[in-house]
Amino acid sequence: VPGKLDEAKRLGATHTADSIEEAFGVVQAETGGTMCSKVISCVGVGSGTAIADTMRLVAKRGRLVVTNI
């Protein structure tokens, strides 16, 4: 959605991504490949594929919280 990344930066986000693929690269670079200890995914309508893609951001023994319709 146009404007959301700009709003996130205005609110203090230090990193943003346009897609889960782009987010994976950002997270991998910033964490040295260890990935995130906690991920919160807020999507309108989820799918198994979307959850699987999001799980790639989570470190071993990390936590994933998913909210969707």
Side-chain angles (χ1 to χ4, degrees), residues 3-41:
K4 283 195 173 187
L5 294 180
D6 292 333
E7 183 68 7
K9 289 177 184 175
R10 188 185 73 73
L11 293 170
T14 57
H15 300 81
T16 60
D18 282 322
S19 66
I20 194 72
E21 294 82 11
E22 186 180 330
F24 182 82
V26 170
V27 170
Q28 192 172 40
E30 289 298 315
T31 64
T34 60
M35 308 312 281
C36 299
S37 60
K38 296 171 189 75
V39 174
I40 301 171
S41 176

Side-chain angles (χ1 to χ4, degrees), residues 20 41 43 45-56 64 66 68:
I20 194 72
S41 176
V43 296
V45 177
S47 69
T49 302
I51 292 171
D53 289 343
T54 304
M55 287 179 67
R56 293 178 50 222
L64 171 60
V66 178
N68 65 6

